[in-house]
Amino acid sequence: MKDYILNGSEALGIELGSTRIKAVLIADDCTVLASGGFNWENEFKNGYWTYNLKEVWHGIQSAYAELNDVALKKFGSRIKTLSSIGFSAMMHGYLPFDKNGNQLSEFRTWRNTTTAAAAEKLTKLFDFNIPQRWSIAHLYQAVLNGESHVADIDYLTTLAGYVHWQLTGERAVGIGEASGMFPINSASLDYNSEMLALFSDIPEIKAMPWNIKDILPRVLVAGENAGNLSEKGAKLLDPSGTLQPGIPLCPPEGDAGTGMVATDSVRIKTGNVSAGTSIFSMVVLEKPLKNVHEEIDIVTTPAGADVAMVHCNNCCTDLDYWVSVFYEFTLAAGAKITKPQAYDLLYNAALGGNADCGGLVNYNLFSGEPVSHLEDGRPMFVRGRGSEFNLANFFRSQIYSALATLKIGMDILKKENVSIDVLMGHGGLFKTKKVGQQLLAGALKTPVAVTETAGEGGAWGIAVLAKYSEQKGNVSLADYLDNIVFVNSEKSVINPIESDATGFERFMEMISVVPDIKDAPDAQPMQEVKCEISFENVSFHYADSDQMVLNHVNLEVPA
């Protein structure tokens, strides 16, 4: 590509992930020409996981500027125009605005588990699972909470929808993104009209001055034009003024949809697993599920086909913290390795561990996890006295815990007789070759494949969707991916290893142990305690030993 000259036929994709905003520039054949990025983090503020919208634009501009610098270095010029642009972001969440475009509340992300009451009521009303992450659950919970801003809502959107709106003036999202806001009818390729009516008939909603259909974004399918980059949008994206307005944009999508595209998993009976800050699987359904499961979301592909989604809030966050600790140690010891090399070293060590982690158990639940019915995050590492505590087992337990909650949902799909020949993996967990792929195959007892584009992730996926929009509907999305984008793509497939599968089952048994000590059904939270605590003549030894650990100990803890 060193002789390549930028000519305006390139497409740009930018995805706002949970910890990184990534920009990717691709050629006509969807090969990557350049990329840029910006690291960021959510914050827990006023009881919600959130991001400041000023940081959104700072991150987008920084990622685009870095990409432009790479383009200048590689091709001798900066980007002036493009054939198409696409934006994607973490799905779901809550971003309400009034009629003047003013933000009415903090951006409430997918990570929040604050809408249990609303989600439960809507699931029962619709006979359709409404997860706590979905925009409609956030909206209804705000109504139930009596939050004053809800009466002023003129537009409710997601992060991808918000960015697209600011760049084009269009209040629209792709159908996959829309399916994480409100249930979709895959036949009409629009919001489910019966459920819209049921929602509108809720007494608290009837009292609102708006109609739910009017405040939601317009639904578009992959391949449709979703507006053009405005002069304001061009300056927002590129403050230097080099980028020209008028460039077409494809429908904005969520990270689930771009993950399906990036792994060529949009046909019926195909599926993928995206593993980063969160982990989720997507399986394109041949027929509807028989039952409603709170662990399974029904969303759609960017083309509108129904998908069973197992979404888990926690994957690599806790794991990344542990890698950082060990990386700090290597630096303190004077070792000259990069952080990616530290990941490879520690991940590969995991393959040498016992198949069941030698009795080590890790709970990676950094935030609340609806799939395992946990309201708040409590990361924790546990080992017994007889455990085999070494580096290999420790990091194997870290990776296992990142997959454990996903296993719960995937087992439900197996009981629903949802079959899949192979799962495509992409995201940060698969950047180290073989490790995440092998352990996931064993955990799910299903072959796992990784393509050479697995590390590019959703930013590349939305860039491909932008390129697809140039086809003007002349070819289906599935055929475009199979016959053009992935026609020469190589992939590696790892089949499940029996010892890995058996070891993971043992790990799941250990992680699922229910404590013998439980709260009484009517237990009340302890109020402030102001009395002293006294231990008198306390002795203790373990059941398998007569050696005293404590012997006639007295202790006073004053109030």
Side-chain angles (χ1 to χ4, degrees), residues 59-133:
I60 289 173
Q61 291 165 2
S62 298
Y64 180 76
E66 185 175 278
L67 179 147
N68 239 327
D69 289 342
V70 172
L72 178 62
K73 185 176 180 180
K74 290 178 69 174
F75 311 121
S77 65
R78 297 188 183 277
I79 300 167
K80 295 179 181 178
T81 190
L82 297 155
S83 61
S84 53
I85 301 175
F87 279 85
S88 56
M90 57 194 94
M91 282 181 73
H92 317 295
Y94 182 73
L95 261 175
F97 298 88
D98 67 16
K99 63 181 180 181
N100 297 316
N102 298 311
Q103 186 180 356
L104 293 173
S105 81
E106 63 282 295
F107 169 37
R108 301 173 187 178
T109 76
W110 58 270
R111 193 171 221 168
N112 290 287
T113 51
T114 55
T115 66
E120 183 178 354
K121 287 176 182 287
L122 292 176
T123 297
K124 184 176 181 181
L125 178 68
F126 295 159
D127 192 28
F128 183 96
N129 183 39
I130 302 295
Q132 292 197 49
R133 306 181 312 281

Side-chain angles (χ1 to χ4, degrees), residues 92-93 115 128-139 179-184 297-299:
H92 317 295
T115 66
F128 183 96
N129 183 39
I130 302 295
Q132 292 197 49
R133 306 181 312 281
W134 282 28
S135 306
I136 194 63
H138 281 284
L139 173 62
S179 70
M181 297 188 73
F182 194 94
I184 290 289
D297 309 2
I298 302 299
V299 292

Side-chain angles (χ1 to χ4, degrees), residues 146-434:
E147 297 182 42
S148 59
H149 75 266
V150 293
D152 297 323
I153 295 176
D154 184 68
Y155 184 40
L156 174 62
T157 189
T158 61
L159 183 56
Y162 162 72
V163 171
H164 184 87
W165 174 41
Q166 296 301 300
L167 295 177
T168 65
E170 297 289 336
R171 296 177 15 160
V173 295
I175 193 167
E177 178 77 336
S179 70
M181 297 188 73
F182 194 94
I184 290 289
N185 182 326
S186 58
S188 65
L189 301 177
D190 203 349
Y191 299 115
N192 187 300
S193 58
E194 293 181 3
M195 295 181 190
L196 286 172
L198 287 170
F199 185 79
S200 297
D201 283 340
I202 297 173
E204 299 97 330
I205 302 303
K206 277 187 173 181
M208 292 295 136
W210 39 257
N211 181 284
I212 182 59
K213 183 68 185 290
D214 295 336
I215 66 172
L216 290 173
R218 184 163 51 101
V219 179
L220 299 174
V221 297
E224 291 190 87
N225 179 276
N228 298 314
L229 185 67
S230 66
E231 288 190 15
K232 171 193 168 186
K235 291 177 181 177
L236 263 177
L237 180 55
D238 181 14
S240 74
T242 305
L243 186 65
Q244 299 173 11
I247 301 166
L249 270 75
C250 71
E253 271 294 351
D255 51 1
T258 58
M260 284 186 277
V261 170
T263 55
D264 192 15
S265 304
V266 300
R267 287 192 187 277
I268 289 173
K269 295 181 71 174
T270 62
N272 77 291
V273 171
S274 175
T277 303
S278 63
I279 186 169
F280 51 86
S281 63
M282 311 285 289
V283 179
V284 187
L285 294 174
E286 189 175 16
K287 56 186 178 181
L289 300 183
K290 296 176 182 177
N291 300 298
V292 176
H293 305 278
E294 64 176 308
E295 299 88 354
I296 311 293
D297 309 2
I298 302 299
V299 292
T300 77
T301 68
D306 282 336
V307 173
M309 178 184 193
V310 180
H311 185 286
C312 310
N313 286 357
N314 300 274
C315 184
C316 291
T317 300
D318 191 44
L319 176 55
D320 290 344
Y321 275 114
W322 281 111
V323 171
S324 294
V325 168
F326 280 79
Y327 180 57
E328 285 181 25
F329 171 76
T330 65
L331 296 180
K336 294 181 179 180
I337 66 171
T338 65
K339 195 165 186 181
Q341 288 174 325
Y343 272 97
D344 289 347
L345 180 68
L346 296 168
Y347 277 37
N348 278 297
L351 290 184
N354 295 12
D356 64 353
C357 305
L360 307 186
V361 177
N362 189 67
Y363 298 87
N364 74 324
L365 303 171
F366 193 77
S367 64
E369 188 59 81
V371 172
S372 53
H373 310 286
L374 187 75
E375 293 183 4
D376 197 8
R378 291 292 185 273
M380 181 169 52
F381 173 70
V382 181
R383 64 188 177 97
R385 287 184 297 158
S387 301
E388 296 183 52
F389 189 20
N390 55 45
L391 182 68
N393 284 335
F394 180 75
F395 267 92
R396 195 177 184 103
S397 75
Q398 296 295 323
I399 296 174
Y400 271 12
S401 68
L403 308 175
T405 314
L406 181 72
K407 167 76 169 173
I408 296 171
M410 292 300 288
D411 282 350
I412 293 172
L413 289 182
K414 284 189 176 181
K415 291 177 182 177
E416 282 271 5
N417 296 316
V418 174
S419 61
I420 185 167
D421 296 328
V422 62
L423 279 169
M424 303 297 296
H426 84 118
L429 188 66
F430 302 104
K431 284 186 177 180
T432 297
K433 290 184 178 180
K434 184 181 177 181

Side-chain angles (χ1 to χ4, degrees), residues 222 468 471-481 483-484:
Y468 173 66
Q471 298 292 316
K472 312 293 184 186
N474 293 325
V475 61
S476 72
L477 178 60
D479 285 345
Y480 178 75
L481 295 177
N483 301 329
I484 297 176

